[in-house]
Amino acid sequence: MRTLLFINCLILTISANLFAISYEELLDAARIADPELTSLTVAGQQADTAWERAVLVRDRIRLSLESGNAQATFSTRPETLFAPGFSATPSAALELPRGPGFKLETPITSTAEGTSFTPGLNIRLPLISRPDSAEITVREQALARHNAAQACRDRRILVEKNLVEQLLALFRAQASTGESRRKLLKAKVELARAVSVDGAFPGGKSYQERDRAVRIADRDVQRGESLYRKQLAALALVVGLPESADLVPAQIPETDLSPELPSPAQCAAVALARATRELAG
C-alpha cells in the first residue's frame, strides 16, 4: 500500500513538471498583462517612427527646377517688324544632405539673328557645418527615442522583479505546505503504529498525544493550503491568466533577480513523495 502511494505521488510529480508553464512563458504573460508596460511600449514605437521620419527628412536629396525670368519681345524695326524674341534663365539645383550643393543655370536668348545660351554651374561647399532645423529635429527625436526605450527597459525589469517576488511567496507557501503534509503523514503513521503495535486506545495518554499531533498537523496543512491559494491568486493577477497549478514553473533560471528562490525539489508534491518514501522504508 505504501509502495503504491509512493508511485502515485511520483507520477503526479512528473506529470506536474511535464505540463507546467515555463518561466519565460510566465514572464511574457506578466509583461503583456502589465498596462503601464503596454503604454510605454506603444510610446516607444511612436518615438521610433518619429525618429525615422525625421531622419528621412534630414537625409533626403533636394532637387528643384526653376524657370527663372522669362521674357518675350517684339522688334519694331521695319526690316524685322514684329519679329519675336525670347529670353529665359532656367535653372536646376541639387542639394545633398549635409553636403555640397550644385546649381546649373542656362540663360537662353532667341532673336531674329539666332539663338544663344550660356550655361553656368555653381558649386556650394559648406566650410562650417551647422545643424539646421532638420538636424535639430533628428537630435530631439533621438533623445525622445532613447528616453522612451529606457523607460520601457526599466518597466520590464520591474515587472520581472514583481513576478519573482510573487514566485518567491508562492514557493515558500508551497514548501511550507509540503512540510506540513509530511508532518501530518508522519503523525498519522505514528498514531496508527501506536494503536496497532503499542495498543494505544482512545482516551489513553499515548493516543491523545498522537491524535493531538495529527490535528495540529492537519490544521497547519489547511492554513498552508489557504496561503498557497492566496499566493496563487496573486500570481494569476500579475500574469493575467486563470488560477491554475500550471502557473507554477517547473524550473527557475539561475539569475541574480531570484537568489532566494527555493529549488524545484522543495515543491509540495516532491516533499510529500519524499516523506512517503522515507516512511515506507
Side-chain angles (χ1 to χ4, degrees), residues 9-256:
C9 293
L10 184 60
I11 292 176
L12 289 175
T13 302
I14 296 175
S15 299
N17 288 334
L18 287 176
F19 296 101
I21 190 171
S22 68
Y23 176 78
E24 289 74 16
E25 293 172 337
L26 207 61
L27 180 58
D28 290 340
R31 287 171 174 169
I32 293 174
D34 186 71
E36 183 174 350
L37 180 57
T38 301
S39 177
L40 291 174
T41 301
V42 173
Q45 293 173 350
Q46 293 175 346
D48 289 342
T49 302
W51 174 78
E52 292 172 357
R53 187 182 298 113
V55 170
L56 289 176
V57 172
R58 182 198 63 183
D59 295 343
R60 67 184 178 182
I61 298 177
R62 296 176 176 87
L63 176 63
S64 60
L65 300 174
E66 296 180 3
S67 62
N69 295 325
Q71 296 178 348
T73 61
F74 295 92
S75 175
T76 58
R77 288 184 299 177
E79 63 274 13
T80 58
L81 185 62
F82 298 112
F86 176 79
S87 65
T89 310
S91 63
L94 176 66
E95 185 176 354
L96 301 178
R98 294 171 292 172
F102 305 91
K103 186 175 183 180
L104 176 65
E105 292 184 342
T106 307
I108 300 176
T109 303
S110 178
T111 63
E113 288 80 10
T115 302
S116 65
F117 61 92
T118 55
L121 177 64
N122 296 327
I123 301 178
R124 180 179 60 85
L125 296 175
L127 299 179
I128 300 177
S129 179
R130 295 181 179 179
D132 55 7
S133 59
E135 178 65 23
I136 293 175
T137 301
V138 169
R139 295 180 182 181
E140 291 175 349
Q141 295 299 335
L143 179 60
R145 181 191 185 202
H146 171 77
N147 293 337
Q150 185 62 48
C152 189
R153 286 192 295 268
D154 292 343
R155 186 60 189 176
R156 288 170 68 90
I157 293 175
L158 288 177
V159 169
E160 184 170 7
K161 181 180 179 181
N162 185 31
L163 175 63
V164 170
E165 290 176 351
Q166 294 295 334
L167 287 174
L168 277 170
L170 180 65
F171 284 177
R172 290 191 185 104
Q174 193 177 39
S176 177
T177 303
E179 180 65 18
S180 298
R181 288 175 178 170
R182 188 191 68 81
K183 292 180 179 179
L184 176 60
L185 181 61
K186 183 177 180 180
K188 288 181 177 180
V189 171
E190 290 180 353
L191 177 60
R193 182 177 299 171
V195 172
S196 61
V197 178
D198 300 334
F201 58 91
K205 181 179 180 181
S206 177
Y207 184 92
Q208 290 180 351
E209 289 178 353
R210 286 168 174 76
D211 181 65
R212 181 172 178 273
V214 170
R215 286 186 281 107
I216 292 176
D218 183 65
R219 182 179 58 193
D220 292 341
V221 169
Q222 294 178 4
R223 290 178 178 176
E225 290 176 347
S226 176
L227 179 60
Y228 176 80
R229 288 191 297 268
K230 180 180 178 181
Q231 297 297 339
L232 187 62
L235 175 62
L237 183 63
V238 168
V239 300
L241 297 175
E243 297 180 26
S244 170
D246 292 340
L247 293 181
V248 182
Q251 292 182 348
I252 299 296
E254 296 181 0
T255 62
D256 294 337

